[in-house]
Amino acid sequence: MRRAYAMLGLGAVVLAAAGSLTLMPRSSEASATEATFLVPAADGYGVAECLVSGHTCGKAVADTWCEAQGYVRAVSFRQADPEDVTGSVEKVAAAPTPLPISITCVN
């Protein structure tokens, strides 16, 4: 009889411990993780056309990009400002290249 009560008590403790771990709220720091990516405008896939032109496909493309990078969704997307790009590598080609697209993702 004692063994049955001991097993019942142990089972209750394990169940309560498992339940408390699954019901814990997420920390605000983990849920607010944010990253910004610079996507080349001339990538060949037409990403820039959707994101910059204001077409309805822009939000879907940005969300898909974030999901591919391991994030949940896109918070914002726009054409990058010139000061967003460092320009640390000298340009070899004489033709000007379009500014990249900035996509900010969040978990």
Side-chain angles (χ1 to χ4, degrees):
M1 186 76 163
R2 284 171 149 181
R3 183 176 286 170
Y5 285 127
M7 292 304 289
L8 182 63
L10 179 63
V13 168
V14 169
L15 184 64
S20 69
L21 291 176
T22 59
L23 298 176
M24 289 177 55
R26 287 185 173 182
S27 69
S28 61
E29 185 177 330
S31 63
T33 304
E34 188 175 281
T36 300
F37 298 95
L38 293 176
V39 181
D43 64 350
Y45 293 104
V47 173
E49 286 80 12
C50 278
L51 295 175
V52 176
S53 65
H55 289 118
T56 57
C57 62
K59 178 67 173 154
V61 168
D63 284 339
T64 304
W65 177 267
C66 290
E67 289 172 10
Q69 305 306 315
Y71 290 86
V72 176
R73 63 184 172 86
V75 176
S76 68
F77 54 92
R78 61 180 173 77
Q79 188 163 18
D81 294 326
E83 56 268 2
D84 290 341
V85 183
T86 62
S88 61
V89 178
E90 291 184 35
K91 292 183 180 181
V92 177
T97 57
L99 289 172
I101 308 303
S102 172
I103 301 176
T104 303
C105 305
V106 70
N107 275 341

Coordinates of all heavy atoms in Angstrom, one line a residue:
M1 N 0.8 -1.2 0.0 CA 0.0 0.0 0.0 C 0.9 1.3 0.0 O 0.5 2.2 -0.7 CB -0.9 -0.1 1.2 CG -1.9 1.0 1.3 SD -3.2 0.7 0.1 CE -4.4 1.7 0.6
R2 N 2.0 1.2 0.8 CA 2.8 2.4 0.8 C 3.5 2.6 -0.6 O 3.7 3.8 -1.0 CB 4.0 2.1 1.8 CG 3.5 2.3 3.2 CD 4.7 1.8 4.0 NE 5.0 2.3 5.2 CZ 6.1 1.8 5.9 NH1 6.8 0.9 5.3 NH2 6.4 2.2 7.1
R3 N 3.8 1.5 -1.3 CA 4.4 1.7 -2.6 C 3.4 2.4 -3.5 O 3.9 3.2 -4.4 CB 4.8 0.3 -3.1 CG 5.5 0.4 -4.4 CD 6.0 -0.9 -4.9 NE 7.1 -1.3 -4.1 CZ 7.7 -2.5 -4.2 NH1 7.2 -3.4 -4.9 NH2 8.8 -2.8 -3.5
A4 N 2.2 2.0 -3.5 CA 1.2 2.7 -4.4 C 1.1 4.1 -4.1 O 1.0 5.0 -5.0 CB -0.2 2.0 -4.2
Y5 N 1.1 4.5 -2.8 CA 1.0 6.0 -2.5 C 2.3 6.7 -2.9 O 2.3 7.8 -3.4 CB 0.8 6.2 -1.0 CG -0.6 5.9 -0.5 CD1 -0.9 5.0 0.5 CD2 -1.7 6.5 -1.1 CE1 -2.2 4.7 0.9 CE2 -3.0 6.3 -0.7 CZ -3.2 5.4 0.3 OH -4.5 5.1 0.7
A6 N 3.4 6.0 -2.7 CA 4.7 6.6 -3.2 C 4.7 6.8 -4.7 O 5.2 7.9 -5.2 CB 5.9 5.7 -2.7
M7 N 4.3 5.8 -5.4 CA 4.3 6.0 -6.9 C 3.3 7.0 -7.3 O 3.5 7.8 -8.2 CB 3.9 4.6 -7.5 CG 5.0 3.6 -7.4 SD 6.6 4.1 -8.0 CE 6.3 4.1 -9.7
L8 N 2.1 7.1 -6.6 CA 1.1 8.1 -6.9 C 1.7 9.5 -6.7 O 1.5 10.5 -7.4 CB -0.1 7.9 -6.1 CG -1.3 8.9 -6.4 CD1 -1.8 8.7 -7.8 CD2 -2.4 8.6 -5.4
G9 N 2.4 9.7 -5.5 CA 3.0 10.9 -5.2 C 4.1 11.3 -6.2 O 4.2 12.5 -6.6
L10 N 4.9 10.4 -6.5 CA 6.0 10.6 -7.5 C 5.4 11.0 -8.9 O 5.9 12.0 -9.5 CB 6.9 9.4 -7.7 CG 8.1 9.5 -8.7 CD1 9.0 10.6 -8.2 CD2 8.8 8.2 -8.8
G11 N 4.4 10.3 -9.3 CA 3.7 10.7 -10.6 C 3.1 12.1 -10.5 O 3.2 12.8 -11.5
A12 N 2.6 12.5 -9.4 CA 2.0 13.8 -9.3 C 3.0 14.9 -9.4 O 2.9 15.9 -10.0 CB 1.2 13.9 -8.0
V13 N 4.2 14.6 -8.7 CA 5.3 15.6 -8.7 C 5.8 15.7 -10.1 O 6.1 16.9 -10.6 CB 6.4 15.2 -7.7 CG1 7.7 16.0 -7.9 CG2 5.9 15.3 -6.3
V14 N 6.0 14.6 -10.8 CA 6.6 14.7 -12.2 C 5.6 15.4 -13.1 O 6.0 16.2 -14.0 CB 6.9 13.3 -12.7 CG1 7.2 13.3 -14.2 CG2 8.1 12.7 -12.0
L15 N 4.3 15.1 -13.0 CA 3.3 15.8 -13.8 C 3.2 17.3 -13.5 O 3.1 18.1 -14.5 CB 1.9 15.1 -13.6 CG 0.8 15.6 -14.4 CD1 1.0 15.3 -15.9 CD2 -0.5 15.0 -14.0
A16 N 3.3 17.6 -12.3 CA 3.3 19.1 -11.9 C 4.5 19.8 -12.5 O 4.4 20.9 -13.0 CB 3.2 19.2 -10.4
A17 N 5.7 19.1 -12.4 CA 6.9 19.7 -12.9 C 6.8 19.9 -14.4 O 7.2 21.0 -15.0 CB 8.1 18.9 -12.5
A18 N 6.3 18.9 -15.1 CA 6.2 19.0 -16.6 C 5.2 20.1 -17.0 O 5.4 20.8 -17.9 CB 5.8 17.7 -17.2
G19 N 4.1 20.1 -16.2 CA 3.1 21.2 -16.5 C 3.6 22.6 -16.3 O 3.3 23.5 -17.0
S20 N 4.4 22.8 -15.2 CA 4.9 24.1 -15.0 C 5.9 24.6 -16.0 O 5.9 25.8 -16.3 CB 5.5 24.2 -13.6 OG 6.7 23.4 -13.6
L21 N 6.6 23.7 -16.6 CA 7.5 24.0 -17.7 C 6.8 24.4 -19.0 O 7.2 25.3 -19.7 CB 8.5 22.9 -18.0 CG 9.5 22.6 -16.9 CD1 10.4 21.4 -17.2 CD2 10.4 23.8 -16.6
T22 N 5.7 23.8 -19.3 CA 5.0 24.1 -20.5 C 4.2 25.3 -20.4 O 3.8 25.9 -21.4 CB 4.1 22.9 -20.9 OG1 3.2 22.6 -19.9 CG2 4.9 21.7 -21.2
L23 N 3.8 25.7 -19.2 CA 3.0 26.9 -19.0 C 3.7 28.2 -18.7 O 3.2 29.2 -18.5 CB 2.0 26.6 -17.9 CG 1.0 25.5 -18.1 CD1 0.1 25.3 -16.9 CD2 0.1 25.8 -19.3
M24 N 5.1 28.1 -18.7 CA 5.9 29.2 -18.4 C 5.8 30.2 -19.6 O 5.8 29.8 -20.7 CB 7.4 28.8 -18.2 CG 7.6 28.1 -16.9 SD 9.3 27.6 -16.8 CE 10.2 29.1 -17.0
P25 N 5.6 31.5 -19.3 CA 5.6 32.5 -20.4 C 6.9 32.7 -21.0 O 8.0 32.4 -20.4 CB 5.1 33.8 -19.7 CG 5.6 33.6 -18.3 CD 5.5 32.1 -18.0
R26 N 6.9 33.0 -22.3 CA 8.2 33.3 -23.0 C 8.8 34.6 -22.4 O 8.1 35.5 -22.1 CB 7.9 33.6 -24.5 CG 7.6 32.4 -25.2 CD 7.5 32.7 -26.7 NE 7.3 31.6 -27.5 CZ 7.3 31.6 -28.8 NH1 7.3 32.8 -29.4 NH2 7.1 30.5 -29.5
S27 N 10.1 34.6 -22.4 CA 10.7 35.9 -21.9 C 10.6 36.9 -23.0 O 10.6 36.6 -24.2 CB 12.2 35.6 -21.6 OG 12.9 35.3 -22.7
S28 N 10.4 38.2 -22.6 CA 10.3 39.2 -23.6 C 11.6 39.4 -24.4 O 11.5 39.8 -25.6 CB 9.9 40.5 -22.9 OG 11.0 40.9 -22.0
E29 N 12.7 39.1 -23.9 CA 13.9 39.2 -24.6 C 14.0 38.2 -25.8 O 14.4 38.5 -26.9 CB 15.1 38.9 -23.7 CG 16.5 39.2 -24.3 CD 17.6 39.0 -23.3 OE1 17.4 39.2 -22.1 OE2 18.7 38.6 -23.8
A30 N 13.5 37.0 -25.5 CA 13.6 36.0 -26.6 C 12.6 36.3 -27.7 O 12.8 36.0 -28.9 CB 13.3 34.6 -26.0
S31 N 11.4 36.8 -27.3 CA 10.4 37.1 -28.3 C 10.7 38.4 -29.1 O 10.0 38.6 -30.1 CB 9.0 37.1 -27.7 OG 9.0 38.2 -26.8
A32 N 11.6 39.2 -28.6 CA 11.8 40.5 -29.3 C 13.1 40.4 -30.1 O 13.7 41.5 -30.5 CB 11.9 41.6 -28.3
T33 N 13.6 39.2 -30.4 CA 14.8 39.1 -31.2 C 14.6 39.7 -32.6 O 13.6 39.3 -33.3 CB 15.3 37.7 -31.3 OG1 15.5 37.2 -30.0 CG2 16.6 37.6 -32.0
E34 N 15.4 40.5 -33.1 CA 15.2 41.2 -34.3 C 16.5 41.2 -35.1 O 17.6 41.3 -34.6 CB 14.7 42.6 -34.0 CG 14.3 43.4 -35.2 CD 13.7 44.8 -34.8 OE1 12.6 44.8 -34.4 OE2 14.5 45.8 -34.9
A35 N 16.4 41.1 -36.4 CA 17.6 41.2 -37.3 C 17.2 41.8 -38.6 O 16.1 41.7 -39.1 CB 18.1 39.8 -37.6
T36 N 18.1 42.6 -39.2 CA 17.9 43.3 -40.5 C 18.9 42.7 -41.5 O 20.1 42.5 -41.3 CB 18.2 44.8 -40.3 OG1 17.3 45.3 -39.3 CG2 17.9 45.5 -41.6
F37 N 18.3 42.3 -42.7 CA 19.1 41.7 -43.7 C 19.1 42.7 -44.9 O 18.1 43.4 -45.2 CB 18.4 40.4 -44.2 CG 18.4 39.4 -43.1 CD1 17.3 39.2 -42.3 CD2 19.6 38.6 -42.9 CE1 17.3 38.2 -41.3 CE2 19.6 37.6 -41.9 CZ 18.4 37.5 -41.1
L38 N 20.2 42.7 -45.7 CA 20.2 43.5 -46.9 C 20.3 42.5 -48.1 O 21.2 41.7 -48.2 CB 21.5 44.4 -46.9 CG 21.5 45.5 -45.9 CD1 22.9 46.2 -46.0 CD2 20.4 46.5 -46.1
V39 N 19.2 42.6 -48.9 CA 19.1 41.7 -50.0 C 19.4 42.4 -51.3 O 18.9 43.5 -51.5 CB 17.6 41.1 -50.1 CG1 17.4 40.2 -51.2 CG2 17.2 40.5 -48.8
P40 N 20.3 41.9 -52.1 CA 20.6 42.6 -53.4 C 19.4 42.8 -54.2 O 18.5 41.9 -54.4 CB 21.6 41.6 -54.1 CG 22.1 40.7 -53.0 CD 21.0 40.6 -52.0
A41 N 19.3 44.0 -54.8 CA 18.1 44.3 -55.6 C 18.1 43.6 -56.9 O 17.1 43.3 -57.5 CB 18.0 45.8 -55.8
A42 N 19.3 43.3 -57.4 CA 19.4 42.6 -58.7 C 19.8 41.1 -58.4 O 20.8 40.6 -58.9 CB 20.5 43.2 -59.5
D43 N 18.9 40.4 -57.6 CA 19.2 39.0 -57.3 C 18.7 38.1 -58.4 O 19.1 36.9 -58.3 CB 18.6 38.7 -56.0 CG 17.1 38.7 -56.0 OD1 16.5 39.3 -57.0 OD2 16.5 38.3 -55.0
G44 N 18.0 38.5 -59.3 CA 17.5 37.7 -60.4 C 16.2 37.0 -60.1 O 15.6 36.3 -60.9
Y45 N 15.7 37.1 -58.9 CA 14.4 36.5 -58.5 C 13.2 37.5 -58.5 O 12.1 37.1 -58.3 CB 14.5 35.8 -57.1 CG 15.4 34.7 -57.1 CD1 16.7 34.8 -56.6 CD2 15.1 33.4 -57.7 CE1 17.6 33.7 -56.6 CE2 15.9 32.4 -57.7 CZ 17.2 32.5 -57.1 OH 18.0 31.4 -57.2
G46 N 13.5 38.7 -58.7 CA 12.4 39.7 -58.7 C 11.9 40.2 -57.3 O 10.8 40.7 -57.2
V47 N 12.8 39.9 -56.3 CA 12.4 40.3 -55.0 C 12.2 41.8 -54.9 O 11.3 42.3 -54.2 CB 13.4 39.8 -54.0 CG1 13.2 40.3 -52.6 CG2 13.5 38.3 -53.9
A48 N 13.1 42.6 -55.5 CA 13.0 44.0 -55.4 C 11.7 44.6 -56.0 O 11.2 45.6 -55.5 CB 14.2 44.7 -56.1
E49 N 11.3 44.0 -57.1 CA 10.1 44.5 -57.7 C 8.9 44.4 -56.8 O 8.0 45.3 -56.7 CB 9.8 43.7 -59.0 CG 10.7 44.1 -60.1 CD 12.0 43.4 -60.1 OE1 12.2 42.5 -59.2 OE2 12.9 43.8 -60.8
C50 N 8.8 43.3 -56.0 CA 7.6 43.2 -55.1 C 7.8 44.1 -53.8 O 6.8 44.7 -53.4 CB 7.5 41.7 -54.6 SG 6.6 40.7 -55.7
L51 N 9.0 44.2 -53.3 CA 9.2 44.9 -52.0 C 9.2 46.4 -52.2 O 8.7 47.1 -51.3 CB 10.5 44.4 -51.4 CG 10.6 42.9 -51.0 CD1 11.9 42.6 -50.5 CD2 9.5 42.7 -49.9
V52 N 9.7 46.9 -53.2 CA 9.9 48.3 -53.4 C 8.7 49.0 -54.1 O 8.3 50.1 -53.7 CB 11.2 48.7 -54.1 CG1 11.3 50.2 -54.3 CG2 12.4 48.2 -53.3
S53 N 8.1 48.3 -55.0 CA 7.1 48.9 -55.9 C 5.7 49.0 -55.2 O 4.9 49.7 -55.6 CB 6.9 48.0 -57.1 OG 6.4 46.7 -56.7
G54 N 5.5 48.4 -54.0 CA 4.3 48.5 -53.3 C 3.2 47.5 -53.7 O 2.1 47.6 -53.4
H55 N 3.6 46.5 -54.5 CA 2.7 45.5 -54.9 C 2.2 44.7 -53.7 O 2.9 44.6 -52.7 CB 3.3 44.5 -56.0 CG 3.5 45.2 -57.3 ND1 4.7 45.4 -57.9 CD2 2.6 45.7 -58.2 CE1 4.6 45.9 -59.1 NE2 3.3 46.2 -59.3
T56 N 1.1 44.0 -53.8 CA 0.6 43.2 -52.7 C 1.5 42.0 -52.4 O 1.4 41.4 -51.3 CB -0.8 42.7 -53.0 OG1 -0.8 41.9 -54.3 CG2 -1.8 43.8 -53.2
C57 N 2.4 41.6 -53.3 CA 3.2 40.5 -53.0 C 4.4 40.8 -52.1 O 5.1 39.9 -51.6 CB 3.8 39.9 -54.3 SG 4.8 41.1 -55.2
G58 N 4.6 42.1 -51.8 CA 5.7 42.5 -50.9 C 5.7 41.9 -49.5 O 6.8 41.4 -49.1
K59 N 4.6 41.9 -48.8 CA 4.6 41.4 -47.5 C 4.8 39.9 -47.5 O 5.5 39.4 -46.6 CB 3.2 41.7 -46.9 CG 3.0 41.2 -45.5 CD 3.9 41.8 -44.5 CE 3.5 41.3 -43.1 NZ 4.6 41.4 -42.1
A60 N 4.2 39.2 -48.5 CA 4.4 37.7 -48.5 C 5.9 37.4 -48.8 O 6.5 36.5 -48.2 CB 3.5 37.2 -49.6
V61 N 6.5 38.2 -49.7 CA 7.9 37.9 -50.0 C 8.8 38.2 -48.8 O 9.7 37.4 -48.5 CB 8.4 38.8 -51.3 CG1 9.9 38.8 -51.4 CG2 7.7 38.3 -52.5
A62 N 8.6 39.3 -48.1 CA 9.3 39.6 -46.9 C 9.2 38.6 -45.8 O 10.1 38.2 -45.2 CB 9.0 41.0 -46.4
D63 N 7.9 38.1 -45.6 CA 7.7 37.1 -44.6 C 8.4 35.8 -45.0 O 9.0 35.1 -44.1 CB 6.2 36.8 -44.4 CG 5.5 37.9 -43.6 OD1 6.2 38.7 -42.9 OD2 4.3 38.1 -43.7
T64 N 8.3 35.4 -46.2 CA 9.0 34.2 -46.7 C 10.5 34.3 -46.5 O 11.2 33.3 -46.1 CB 8.6 33.9 -48.2 OG1 7.2 33.8 -48.3 CG2 9.2 32.6 -48.6
W65 N 11.1 35.5 -46.8 CA 12.5 35.7 -46.6 C 12.9 35.5 -45.2 O 13.9 34.8 -44.8 CB 12.9 37.1 -47.1 CG 14.4 37.3 -46.9 CD1 14.9 37.9 -45.8 CD2 15.5 37.0 -47.7 NE1 16.3 38.0 -45.9 CE2 16.6 37.4 -47.1 CE3 15.5 36.3 -49.0 CZ2 17.9 37.2 -47.7 CZ3 16.8 36.1 -49.5 CH2 17.9 36.5 -48.9
C66 N 12.1 36.0 -44.3 CA 12.4 35.9 -42.8 C 12.3 34.5 -42.4 O 13.1 34.0 -41.6 CB 11.4 36.8 -42.0 SG 11.8 38.6 -42.2
E67 N 11.2 33.8 -42.8 CA 11.1 32.4 -42.5 C 12.2 31.5 -43.0 O 12.7 30.6 -42.3 CB 9.8 31.8 -43.0 CG 8.5 32.4 -42.3 CD 7.2 32.0 -43.0 OE1 7.3 31.1 -43.9 OE2 6.2 32.5 -42.6
A68 N 12.8 31.8 -44.1 CA 13.9 31.1 -44.7 C 15.2 31.4 -43.8 O 16.1 30.5 -43.8 CB 14.2 31.5 -46.1
Q69 N 15.2 32.5 -43.2 CA 16.4 32.8 -42.3 C 16.2 32.4 -40.9 O 17.0 32.6 -40.0 CB 16.6 34.4 -42.3 CG 16.8 34.9 -43.7 CD 17.9 34.2 -44.5 OE1 18.9 34.0 -44.0 NE2 17.6 33.9 -45.8
G70 N 15.0 31.7 -40.6 CA 14.8 31.2 -39.2 C 14.0 32.2 -38.3 O 14.0 32.0 -37.1
Y71 N 13.4 33.2 -38.9 CA 12.6 34.1 -38.1 C 11.1 33.9 -38.4 O 10.7 33.2 -39.3 CB 13.0 35.6 -38.4 CG 14.3 35.9 -37.9 CD1 15.5 35.6 -38.6 CD2 14.5 36.5 -36.6 CE1 16.7 35.9 -38.1 CE2 15.7 36.8 -36.1 CZ 16.9 36.5 -36.9 OH 18.1 36.7 -36.4
V72 N 10.3 34.5 -37.6 CA 8.8 34.2 -37.7 C 8.2 35.1 -38.8 O 7.4 34.6 -39.6 CB 8.1 34.5 -36.3 CG1 6.6 34.4 -36.5 CG2 8.6 33.6 -35.3
R73 N 8.5 36.4 -38.8 CA 7.8 37.3 -39.8 C 8.6 38.5 -40.0 O 9.6 38.8 -39.3 CB 6.4 37.6 -39.3 CG 6.4 38.4 -38.0 CD 5.0 38.8 -37.5 NE 5.1 39.4 -36.2 CZ 5.2 40.7 -36.0 NH1 5.3 41.5 -37.0 NH2 5.3 41.1 -34.7
A74 N 8.2 39.2 -41.0 CA 8.9 40.5 -41.3 C 8.2 41.7 -40.6 O 7.0 41.7 -40.6 CB 8.9 40.7 -42.8
V75 N 9.0 42.5 -40.0 CA 8.4 43.7 -39.4 C 8.3 44.9 -40.4 O 7.4 45.6 -40.4 CB 9.3 44.1 -38.1 CG1 8.7 45.4 -37.5 CG2 9.3 43.0 -37.1
S76 N 9.4 45.0 -41.2 CA 9.4 46.1 -42.2 C 10.3 45.7 -43.3 O 11.2 44.8 -43.2 CB 10.0 47.4 -41.5 OG 11.3 47.2 -41.2
F77 N 10.1 46.3 -44.5 CA 10.9 46.1 -45.6 C 10.9 47.4 -46.5 O 9.8 48.1 -46.5 CB 10.5 44.9 -46.5 CG 9.0 44.9 -46.8 CD1 8.6 45.5 -48.1 CD2 8.0 44.4 -46.0 CE1 7.3 45.5 -48.4 CE2 6.7 44.4 -46.4 CZ 6.3 44.9 -47.6
R78 N 12.0 47.8 -47.0 CA 12.1 49.0 -47.8 C 13.4 49.0 -48.6 O 14.3 48.1 -48.3 CB 12.1 50.2 -46.8 CG 13.3 50.2 -45.9 CD 13.3 51.4 -44.9 NE 14.3 51.2 -43.9 CZ 15.6 51.5 -44.1 NH1 16.1 51.8 -45.3 NH2 16.5 51.3 -43.1
Q79 N 13.6 49.9 -49.5 CA 14.9 50.0 -50.1 C 15.8 50.7 -49.2 O 15.5 51.6 -48.5 CB 14.7 50.9 -51.4 CG 16.0 50.9 -52.2 CD 15.8 51.4 -53.6 OE1 14.8 52.0 -53.9 NE2 16.7 51.1 -54.5
A80 N 17.0 50.1 -49.1 CA 18.0 50.6 -48.1 C 18.5 52.0 -48.4 O 18.5 52.4 -49.6 CB 19.2 49.6 -48.1
D81 N 18.7 52.7 -47.4 CA 19.3 54.1 -47.6 C 20.8 53.9 -47.9 O 21.4 52.9 -47.5 CB 19.2 54.9 -46.3 CG 17.7 55.2 -46.0 OD1 16.9 55.3 -46.9 OD2 17.4 55.2 -44.8
P82 N 21.4 54.9 -48.6 CA 22.8 54.8 -48.9 C 23.7 54.6 -47.7 O 24.7 54.0 -47.7 CB 23.1 56.1 -49.6 CG 21.8 56.5 -50.2 CD 20.8 56.1 -49.2
E83 N 23.3 55.2 -46.5 CA 24.1 55.1 -45.3 C 24.0 53.7 -44.7 O 24.7 53.4 -43.8 CB 23.8 56.2 -44.3 CG 22.4 56.3 -43.9 CD 21.6 57.3 -44.7 OE1 22.1 57.9 -45.7 OE2 20.4 57.4 -44.4
D84 N 23.0 52.9 -45.1 CA 22.9 51.5 -44.6 C 23.9 50.6 -45.1 O 24.3 49.6 -44.5 CB 21.5 50.9 -44.9 CG 20.4 51.6 -44.2 OD1 20.6 52.2 -43.1 OD2 19.2 51.5 -44.6
V85 N 24.5 51.0 -46.3 CA 25.5 50.1 -47.0 C 26.8 50.8 -46.7 O 27.0 52.0 -46.9 CB 25.2 50.1 -48.5 CG1 26.2 49.2 -49.2 CG2 23.8 49.6 -48.7
T86 N 27.8 49.9 -46.2 CA 29.0 50.5 -45.8 C 29.9 51.0 -46.9 O 30.7 51.9 -46.7 CB 29.8 49.4 -45.0 OG1 30.1 48.3 -45.8 CG2 29.1 49.0 -43.8
G87 N 29.9 50.3 -48.0 CA 30.7 50.7 -49.1 C 32.2 50.4 -48.9 O 33.1 51.1 -49.3
S88 N 32.5 49.4 -48.1 CA 33.8 49.1 -47.7 C 34.6 48.4 -48.8 O 35.8 48.3 -48.8 CB 33.8 48.2 -46.5 OG 33.2 47.0 -46.7
V89 N 33.9 47.9 -49.8 CA 34.6 47.3 -51.0 C 34.5 48.2 -52.2 O 33.4 48.7 -52.5 CB 33.9 45.9 -51.3 CG1 34.6 45.3 -52.5 CG2 34.0 45.0 -50.1
E90 N 35.6 48.5 -52.8 CA 35.6 49.4 -54.0 C 34.8 48.7 -55.1 O 34.8 47.5 -55.3 CB 37.0 49.7 -54.4 CG 37.7 50.5 -53.5 CD 39.1 50.9 -54.0 OE1 39.3 51.1 -55.2 OE2 40.0 50.9 -53.2
K91 N 34.1 49.6 -55.9 CA 33.3 49.1 -57.0 C 34.3 48.9 -58.2 O 35.1 49.7 -58.5 CB 32.2 50.1 -57.4 CG 31.1 50.2 -56.4 CD 30.1 51.2 -56.9 CE 29.0 51.3 -55.9 NZ 27.9 52.2 -56.3
V92 N 34.1 47.7 -58.8 CA 35.0 47.4 -60.0 C 34.2 47.8 -61.2 O 34.8 48.4 -62.2 CB 35.3 45.9 -60.0 CG1 36.1 45.6 -61.2 CG2 36.1 45.6 -58.7
A93 N 32.9 47.5 -61.3 CA 32.2 47.8 -62.5 C 31.8 49.3 -62.5 O 31.6 50.0 -61.5 CB 30.9 47.0 -62.5
A94 N 31.8 49.8 -63.7 CA 31.5 51.3 -63.9 C 30.0 51.5 -63.8 O 29.6 52.6 -63.5 CB 32.0 51.7 -65.3
A95 N 29.2 50.5 -64.1 CA 27.7 50.7 -64.0 C 27.2 50.8 -62.6 O 27.6 50.0 -61.8 CB 27.0 49.6 -64.8
P96 N 26.4 51.8 -62.3 CA 25.8 51.9 -60.9 C 24.9 50.7 -60.6 O 24.1 50.3 -61.5 CB 25.1 53.2 -60.9 CG 24.7 53.4 -62.4 CD 25.8 52.8 -63.2
T97 N 25.0 50.2 -59.4 CA 24.1 49.1 -59.0 C 23.0 49.7 -58.1 O 23.3 50.6 -57.3 CB 24.9 48.0 -58.2 OG1 25.6 48.7 -57.1 CG2 26.0 47.4 -59.1
P98 N 21.8 49.1 -58.2 CA 20.7 49.6 -57.4 C 21.0 49.3 -55.9 O 21.7 48.3 -55.6 CB 19.5 48.9 -57.9 CG 20.1 47.7 -58.6 CD 21.4 48.0 -59.1
L99 N 20.4 50.1 -55.0 CA 20.6 49.9 -53.6 C 19.9 48.6 -53.2 O 18.8 48.3 -53.8 CB 20.0 51.1 -52.8 CG 20.8 52.4 -52.9 CD1 20.0 53.5 -52.3 CD2 22.2 52.2 -52.2
P100 N 20.4 47.9 -52.2 CA 19.8 46.7 -51.8 C 18.5 46.9 -51.0 O 18.1 48.1 -50.7 CB 20.8 46.0 -50.8 CG 21.7 47.1 -50.4 CD 21.7 48.2 -51.5
I101 N 17.7 45.9 -50.8 CA 16.5 45.9 -50.0 C 16.8 45.6 -48.6 O 17.4 44.6 -48.3 CB 15.4 45.0 -50.6 CG1 15.3 45.2 -52.1 CG2 14.1 45.1 -49.9 CD1 14.9 46.6 -52.5
S102 N 16.2 46.3 -47.7 CA 16.4 46.1 -46.2 C 15.1 45.4 -45.7 O 14.1 45.9 -45.8 CB 16.6 47.4 -45.5 OG 16.6 47.2 -44.1
I103 N 15.3 44.2 -45.1 CA 14.2 43.5 -44.5 C 14.5 43.2 -43.1 O 15.6 42.7 -42.7 CB 14.0 42.1 -45.2 CG1 13.7 42.3 -46.7 CG2 12.8 41.4 -44.6 CD1 13.6 41.0 -47.5
T104 N 13.6 43.7 -42.2 CA 13.8 43.5 -40.7 C 12.9 42.4 -40.3 O 11.7 42.5 -40.5 CB 13.5 44.8 -40.0 OG1 14.4 45.8 -40.5 CG2 13.7 44.6 -38.5
C105 N 13.4 41.4 -39.7 CA 12.7 40.2 -39.2 C 12.7 40.1 -37.7 O 13.5 40.6 -37.0 CB 13.3 38.9 -39.8 SG 13.5 38.9 -41.5
V106 N 11.6 39.5 -37.2 CA 11.5 39.3 -35.7 C 11.0 37.9 -35.4 O 10.3 37.3 -36.2 CB 10.5 40.4 -35.2 CG1 9.1 40.2 -35.6 CG2 10.6 40.5 -33.7
N107 N 11.4 37.5 -34.2 CA 10.8 36.2 -33.7 C 9.6 36.4 -32.9 O 9.4 37.3 -32.3 CB 11.9 35.4 -32.9 CG 12.8 34.7 -33.8 OD1 12.5 34.3 -34.9 ND2 14.0 34.3 -33.2

